[in-house]
Amino acid sequence: DGDHVRTILTQFAFARPSDLGFERMSEARWTFNNHAVEGDRILGEGLHGSVFSVNSNGRRCFVKTFGTQADCQREVKSLEQLNQNEPKVPSVPRLHGVSDDERAILASPVGSSLEELRGKLIAWKVAAKFVVCLESVHHAGLCHRDVRPSNMGHTTNNDDASGLDDVVLFDWASSCDVGSQPMFSGTLHYAA
């Protein structure tokens, strides 16, 4: 519900670097193929890791950190599978690199919270775009398994009066192959 989403977004917006193990934001640094990137703000913190906004070669990206290399590898495998198909699956992040320690990924786009769209008459556009996204994901052979408001975002198109360009589905660490039967993973409150 809206209060739950607002609580999550408030927690993300006010997270301090020290809450995530950094004394200062300038300590949030990673290396991807000998290219250093530095976090400029915290976007969120979840069960599998934290997400930071970064600027990499003039492009707005995000870095997602993971508690284990296995979690990172699972997310990388899913994103690679979704990005290798032609046409590419819409509405999923594009993987740009894996950190040298294999505990973080560099990806884009940096989506904004769906909360920003609250009150605008575009719920049907958002829903329709997520249906297309999920259909494409399943056609590519994956199940996300943790679809919930905090794992959804949007990109902005200033030419569109609604302010909605595309939707983005984040957090692929819980995903699995269609037809497999792994143990439950995801957020129970949103499980179908």
Side-chain angles (χ1 to χ4, degrees):
D1 66 19
D3 290 334
H4 180 69
V5 172
R6 229 180 335 279
T7 300
I8 291 169
L9 294 173
T10 301
Q11 290 170 348
F12 289 166
F14 297 107
R16 296 179 311 271
S18 59
D19 295 339
L20 302 173
F22 302 109
E23 287 298 316
R24 291 173 295 287
M25 196 65 224
S26 61
E27 293 178 11
R29 294 185 190 154
W30 304 270
T31 306
F32 297 88
N33 297 325
N34 296 319
H35 172 70
V37 293
E38 185 175 304
D40 55 28
R41 75 185 165 102
I42 299 165
L43 297 175
E45 184 174 26
L47 182 62
H48 294 285
S50 303
V51 181
F52 299 83
S53 173
V54 300
N55 187 335
S56 176
N57 296 324
R59 173 178 53 198
R60 292 302 313 151
C61 295
F62 67 89
V63 168
K64 179 177 179 186
T65 62
F66 298 87
T68 68
Q69 287 180 334
D71 286 341
C72 184
Q73 290 166 353
R74 231 181 349 271
E75 183 130 351
V76 166
K77 178 182 176 269
S78 296
L79 290 176
E80 285 176 341
Q81 183 173 341
L82 293 169
N83 285 297
Q84 75 183 2
N85 294 329
E86 289 299 331
K88 295 193 181 335
V89 174
S91 306
V92 299
R94 300 293 176 241
L95 182 65
H96 300 297
V98 178
S99 66
D100 294 349
D101 67 357
E102 296 183 5
R103 287 184 174 245
I105 62 168
L106 177 66
S108 67
V110 176
S112 299
S113 162
L114 290 180
E115 184 70 18
E116 294 176 0
L117 301 178
R118 188 181 205 80
K120 295 185 179 182
L121 299 175
I122 60 167
W124 63 272
K125 278 187 177 181
V126 172
K129 286 181 179 260
F130 274 114
V131 167
V132 169
C133 172
L134 290 172
E135 182 179 53
S136 298
V137 166
H138 295 165
H139 186 351
L142 285 179
C143 288
H144 185 277
R145 299 195 324 149
D146 198 15
V147 176
R148 58 189 166 119
S150 63
N151 284 340
M152 300 175 182
H154 74 95
T155 57
T156 305
N157 179 349
N158 294 329
D159 298 332
D160 185 344
S162 70
L164 177 70
D165 181 25
D166 204 356
V167 294
V168 184
L169 188 56
F170 297 104
D171 195 358
W172 293 87
S174 297
S175 66
C176 68
D177 292 330
V178 170
S180 66
Q181 296 181 355
M183 289 179 39
F184 175 78
S185 179
T187 306
L188 190 56
H189 182 74
Y190 295 101

